Amino acid sequence: MSETDQGPVGAERVLTVLMELAKVPEGLSLDELTKRVDAAKPTVHRALASLTRVGLANRLERGRYVLGDEFLRLAFLHQDRRLDSARMEPLLDALTAEFGETTHYAVLDKDEVVYRAKRDPAEGAVRLTSTVGGRNPAYRTGVGKVLLAWNLDTPETAATWARTHELRPRTETTITDPALFAKTLAEVRAQGYAVDDQENELGVNCIALPVFLDSPLVPSGALSVSALSFRTPLPELVAGLERIRTIADAHDVRTRLQTTGS
């Protein structure tokens, strides 16, 4: 049966409303949601009623709707039990303790990186704005360049990708030239790590390495140590490369490509 203003609300419509709520933590009114999802007000109202009944949305006193506690409980439970995140968290703890800087574990989702885990330094230190579940364009991050370097594993595929994607500058050091970007990916694959020289966020640099949790040849994700450039300059991060690998080895996390005979 097709959906009408009097009929049942389709699952896709309910999920669309839920996704819009997730974008605005301070909440949205019924009128605002109606405009965002381009649907009739009764349809959106019934979708909100369905979400509210099962705890995935809450209606505040001022008539605004927010994500419900049940949604957040499920999301955090799922995040905590993800096998790759759970396996990486002790390593991130160790790296943050060693370097006194923020560490991340991220995966590639099409042209973006998604942060699966993050550890901040001790309380009182300046913290970065990245969040678990947050995204960034892959081309301008260290973890993204690492994962693209393995995903685009020939000069030809890297060059084609760079030419067909808009490499917008975020800072003065963001790589926007397709030829230079393809060359950079080749260097990343050859040396086994990538850097972010304030390319995604001014004043923040990082070193990133591939992580081989499931396959000796294909990275499951990438880890990074990120730092404020005035506190830990990029050359200092690069100088710590072998310390990062040693700590990763101690946690049974492979960060090197396994070659034949190794």
Side-chain angles (χ1 to χ4, degrees):
M1 179 174 64
S2 61
E3 178 187 330
T4 68
D5 286 345
Q6 288 74 39
V9 183
E12 184 174 349
R13 182 68 70 195
V14 174
L15 292 174
T16 300
V17 170
L18 183 66
M19 291 171 67
E20 288 300 321
L21 286 178
K23 297 176 184 177
V24 187
E26 61 269 25
L28 291 165
S29 68
L30 176 59
D31 288 339
E32 290 169 333
L33 275 167
T34 298
K35 291 179 182 179
R36 281 174 170 258
V37 302
D38 191 24
K41 185 178 292 187
T43 300
V44 177
H45 188 266
R46 289 198 303 278
L48 287 167
S50 297
L51 292 168
T52 302
R53 276 196 301 272
V54 296
L56 298 181
N58 287 336
R59 185 179 186 276
L60 305 180
E61 291 184 359
R62 60 184 186 275
R64 299 181 75 80
Y65 292 85
V66 297
L67 288 180
D69 291 337
E70 179 63 10
F71 177 90
L72 299 175
R73 185 188 72 80
L74 291 172
F76 287 121
L77 178 65
H78 179 74
Q79 171 63 31
D80 288 343
R81 293 186 178 178
R82 271 188 160 167
L83 294 179
D84 58 347
S85 302
R87 185 170 172 186
M88 288 299 298
E89 285 169 354
L91 171 57
L92 297 188
D93 286 335
L95 290 172
T96 294
E98 174 72 15
F99 289 89
E101 302 292 356
T102 298
T103 56
H104 299 95
Y105 173 69
V107 298
L108 188 65
D109 181 14
K110 298 179 182 177
D111 301 334
E112 296 180 312
V113 291
V114 182
Y115 299 102
R116 289 273 182 87
K118 175 189 178 184
R119 286 294 185 267
D120 282 311
E123 186 176 352
V126 178
R127 302 188 179 204
L128 306 188
T129 58
S130 54
T131 59
V132 174
R135 292 171 176 263
N136 267 315
Y139 71 89
R140 66 181 193 223
T141 66
V143 287
K145 284 188 283 187
V146 162
L147 296 173
L148 285 176
W150 261 264
N151 193 47
L152 308 170
D153 56 358
T154 69
E156 292 76 20
T157 56
T160 298
W161 189 95
R163 286 195 302 268
T164 56
H165 287 72
E166 187 176 4
L167 308 181
R168 297 181 180 179
R170 176 72 181 270
T171 70
E172 291 183 356
T173 57
T174 305
I175 300 175
T176 58
D177 177 71
L180 177 58
F181 188 75
K183 179 182 178 183
T184 299
L185 291 192
E187 293 172 349
V188 168
R189 191 172 173 89
Q191 66 194 16
Y193 69 92
V195 298
D196 168 1
D197 186 9
Q198 303 185 56
E199 297 164 49
N200 185 61
E201 189 172 350
L202 192 64
V204 178
N205 52 37
C206 87
I207 183 170
L209 291 75
V211 171
F212 301 90
L213 293 180
D214 305 315
S215 165
L217 301 175
V218 180
S220 59
L223 69 84
S224 68
V225 178
S226 303
L228 298 177
S229 56
F230 76 86
R231 187 171 64 199
T232 307
L234 186 57
E236 187 174 331
L237 284 179
V238 175
L241 174 64
E242 288 309 315
R243 286 162 60 202
I244 296 173
R245 285 180 166 156
T246 298
I247 294 171
D249 288 344
H251 284 76
D252 195 28
V253 174
R254 181 180 290 275
T255 58
R256 300 174 176 87
L257 179 67
Q258 182 173 332
T259 58
T260 303
S262 62

Coordinates of all heavy atoms in Angstrom, one line a residue, residues 69 71-90 92-93 105 115-119 132-133:
D69 N 17.0 9.0 24.5 CA 18.0 8.3 25.3 C 18.3 6.9 24.8 O 19.4 6.4 24.9 CB 17.7 8.3 26.8 CG 17.8 9.7 27.4 OD1 18.5 10.6 26.8 OD2 17.1 10.0 28.4
F71 N 18.0 5.8 21.8 CA 18.9 5.8 20.6 C 20.3 6.0 21.0 O 21.2 5.3 20.5 CB 18.5 7.0 19.7 CG 19.3 7.1 18.4 CD1 19.0 6.5 17.3 CD2 20.5 7.9 18.5 CE1 19.8 6.6 16.1 CE2 21.3 8.0 17.4 CZ 21.0 7.4 16.2
L72 N 20.6 6.9 21.9 CA 22.0 7.1 22.3 C 22.5 5.9 23.0 O 23.7 5.5 22.8 CB 22.0 8.3 23.3 CG 21.6 9.6 22.7 CD1 21.6 10.7 23.7 CD2 22.5 10.0 21.5
R73 N 21.7 5.2 23.8 CA 22.2 4.0 24.5 C 22.6 2.9 23.5 O 23.6 2.3 23.6 CB 21.0 3.4 25.4 CG 21.5 2.2 26.2 CD 20.3 1.6 27.0 NE 19.4 0.9 26.1 CZ 19.7 -0.3 25.6 NH1 20.7 -1.0 25.9 NH2 18.8 -0.9 24.8
L74 N 21.7 2.7 22.5 CA 22.0 1.7 21.5 C 23.3 2.1 20.7 O 24.1 1.2 20.4 CB 20.8 1.6 20.5 CG 19.6 0.9 21.1 CD1 18.4 1.0 20.1 CD2 19.9 -0.5 21.5
A75 N 23.4 3.4 20.4 CA 24.6 3.8 19.6 C 25.9 3.6 20.3 O 26.8 3.1 19.8 CB 24.4 5.3 19.2
F76 N 25.9 4.0 21.6 CA 27.1 3.8 22.4 C 27.4 2.4 22.7 O 28.6 2.0 22.7 CB 27.0 4.6 23.7 CG 27.1 6.1 23.5 CD1 26.1 7.0 23.9 CD2 28.3 6.7 22.9 CE1 26.2 8.3 23.7 CE2 28.4 8.0 22.7 CZ 27.4 8.9 23.1
L77 N 26.4 1.6 22.9 CA 26.6 0.1 23.1 C 27.2 -0.5 21.9 O 28.1 -1.3 21.9 CB 25.2 -0.5 23.4 CG 25.3 -2.1 23.6 CD1 26.1 -2.4 24.9 CD2 23.8 -2.6 23.8
H78 N 26.7 -0.1 20.7 CA 27.2 -0.7 19.4 C 28.6 -0.3 19.2 O 29.5 -1.1 18.9 CB 26.3 -0.2 18.3 CG 26.8 -0.7 16.9 ND1 26.6 -2.0 16.5 CD2 27.5 0.0 15.9 CE1 27.1 -2.1 15.3 NE2 27.6 -0.9 14.9
Q79 N 28.9 1.0 19.5 CA 30.3 1.5 19.3 C 31.2 0.8 20.3 O 32.3 0.4 19.9 CB 30.3 3.0 19.6 CG 31.7 3.6 19.7 CD 32.5 3.5 18.4 OE1 31.9 3.5 17.3 NE2 33.8 3.4 18.5
D80 N 30.8 0.6 21.5 CA 31.7 0.0 22.5 C 32.0 -1.5 22.2 O 33.1 -2.0 22.5 CB 31.1 0.1 23.9 CG 31.2 1.5 24.5 OD1 31.9 2.3 23.9 OD2 30.4 1.7 25.4
R81 N 31.1 -2.1 21.5 CA 31.2 -3.6 21.2 C 31.8 -3.9 19.8 O 31.9 -5.0 19.4 CB 29.9 -4.3 21.4 CG 29.5 -4.3 22.9 CD 28.2 -5.1 23.1 NE 27.9 -5.1 24.5 CZ 26.8 -5.7 25.0 NH1 26.0 -6.3 24.2 NH2 26.6 -5.7 26.3
R82 N 32.1 -2.8 19.0 CA 32.7 -3.0 17.7 C 34.0 -3.6 17.9 O 34.9 -3.1 18.7 CB 32.8 -1.7 16.9 CG 31.5 -1.4 16.1 CD 31.8 -0.2 15.2 NE 30.8 -0.2 14.1 CZ 30.6 0.8 13.3 NH1 31.3 1.9 13.5 NH2 29.8 0.8 12.4
L83 N 34.3 -4.7 17.2 CA 35.5 -5.5 17.4 C 36.8 -4.6 17.2 O 37.7 -4.7 17.9 CB 35.5 -6.7 16.6 CG 34.4 -7.8 17.0 CD1 34.5 -9.0 16.0 CD2 34.6 -8.2 18.4
D84 N 36.7 -3.9 16.0 CA 38.0 -3.1 15.7 C 38.2 -2.0 16.7 O 39.3 -1.8 17.2 CB 37.9 -2.6 14.3 CG 36.7 -1.7 14.0 OD1 35.8 -1.7 14.8 OD2 36.7 -1.1 12.9
S85 N 37.1 -1.3 17.1 CA 37.3 -0.2 18.1 C 37.8 -0.7 19.4 O 38.7 -0.2 20.0 CB 35.9 0.5 18.2 OG 35.5 1.0 17.0
A86 N 37.1 -1.8 19.9 CA 37.5 -2.4 21.2 C 39.0 -2.8 21.1 O 39.7 -2.7 22.1 CB 36.6 -3.6 21.5
R87 N 39.4 -3.4 20.0 CA 40.8 -3.9 19.9 C 41.8 -2.7 19.9 O 42.9 -2.8 20.4 CB 41.0 -4.7 18.7 CG 42.3 -5.4 18.6 CD 42.4 -6.4 17.5 NE 43.7 -6.9 17.3 CZ 44.1 -7.7 16.3 NH1 43.2 -8.1 15.4 NH2 45.3 -8.1 16.1
M88 N 41.4 -1.6 19.3 CA 42.3 -0.4 19.1 C 42.4 0.4 20.4 O 43.4 1.1 20.6 CB 41.8 0.4 18.0 CG 42.1 -0.2 16.6 SD 43.8 -0.6 16.3 CE 44.5 1.1 16.3
E89 N 41.4 0.4 21.2 CA 41.3 1.4 22.3 C 42.5 1.2 23.3 O 43.1 2.3 23.7 CB 40.0 1.3 23.0 CG 38.9 2.0 22.2 CD 37.5 1.7 22.8 OE1 37.4 0.8 23.7 OE2 36.5 2.2 22.2
P90 N 42.9 0.0 23.7 CA 44.1 -0.1 24.6 C 45.4 0.5 23.9 O 46.2 1.1 24.6 CB 44.2 -1.6 24.8 CG 42.9 -2.1 24.6 CD 42.3 -1.3 23.5
L92 N 45.4 3.0 21.6 CA 45.3 4.4 21.7 C 45.6 5.0 23.1 O 46.2 6.0 23.2 CB 43.9 4.8 21.2 CG 43.5 4.5 19.8 CD1 42.1 5.1 19.5 CD2 44.5 4.9 18.8
D93 N 45.2 4.3 24.1 CA 45.5 4.7 25.5 C 47.0 4.7 25.7 O 47.5 5.7 26.2 CB 44.9 3.7 26.5 CG 43.4 3.9 26.6 OD1 42.8 5.0 26.3 OD2 42.7 2.9 27.0
Y105 N 41.6 6.3 15.8 CA 41.5 5.2 14.8 C 40.3 5.5 13.9 O 39.2 5.9 14.4 CB 41.2 3.9 15.6 CG 40.9 2.7 14.7 CD1 41.9 2.2 13.9 CD2 39.7 2.1 14.6 CE1 41.7 1.1 13.0 CE2 39.4 1.1 13.7 CZ 40.5 0.6 12.9 OH 40.2 -0.5 12.1
Y115 N 35.8 8.5 12.2 CA 36.6 8.2 13.4 C 35.8 7.2 14.3 O 34.8 7.5 14.8 CB 36.9 9.5 14.2 CG 37.7 10.5 13.4 CD1 37.1 11.6 12.8 CD2 39.0 10.3 13.2 CE1 37.8 12.5 12.0 CE2 39.8 11.2 12.4 CZ 39.1 12.3 11.8 OH 39.9 13.2 11.1
R116 N 36.4 6.1 14.5 CA 35.8 5.0 15.3 C 36.2 5.1 16.7 O 35.5 4.6 17.6 CB 36.2 3.6 14.7 CG 35.6 3.3 13.4 CD 34.2 2.6 13.5 NE 33.6 2.2 12.3 CZ 33.8 1.1 11.7 NH1 34.7 0.2 12.2 NH2 33.2 0.8 10.5
A117 N 37.4 5.6 17.0 CA 37.8 5.7 18.4 C 38.8 6.9 18.5 O 39.5 7.3 17.6 CB 38.6 4.4 18.8
K118 N 38.8 7.4 19.7 CA 39.6 8.6 20.0 C 40.0 8.6 21.4 O 39.2 8.3 22.3 CB 38.9 9.9 19.7 CG 39.6 11.2 20.0 CD 38.8 12.4 19.9 CE 39.5 13.7 20.3 NZ 38.7 14.9 20.2
R119 N 41.3 9.0 21.7 CA 41.7 9.2 23.1 C 42.4 10.6 23.2 O 43.3 10.9 22.4 CB 42.7 8.1 23.5 CG 42.1 6.8 23.7 CD 41.1 6.8 24.9 NE 40.6 5.5 25.2 CZ 39.4 5.1 24.8 NH1 38.7 5.8 23.9 NH2 39.0 3.9 25.2
V132 N 34.2 10.9 18.0 CA 33.9 9.6 17.5 C 32.6 9.6 16.7 O 31.6 10.2 17.2 CB 33.8 8.6 18.7 CG1 33.3 7.2 18.3 CG2 35.1 8.5 19.5
G133 N 32.7 9.1 15.5 CA 31.6 9.1 14.6 C 31.7 10.3 13.7 O 30.9 10.4 12.7

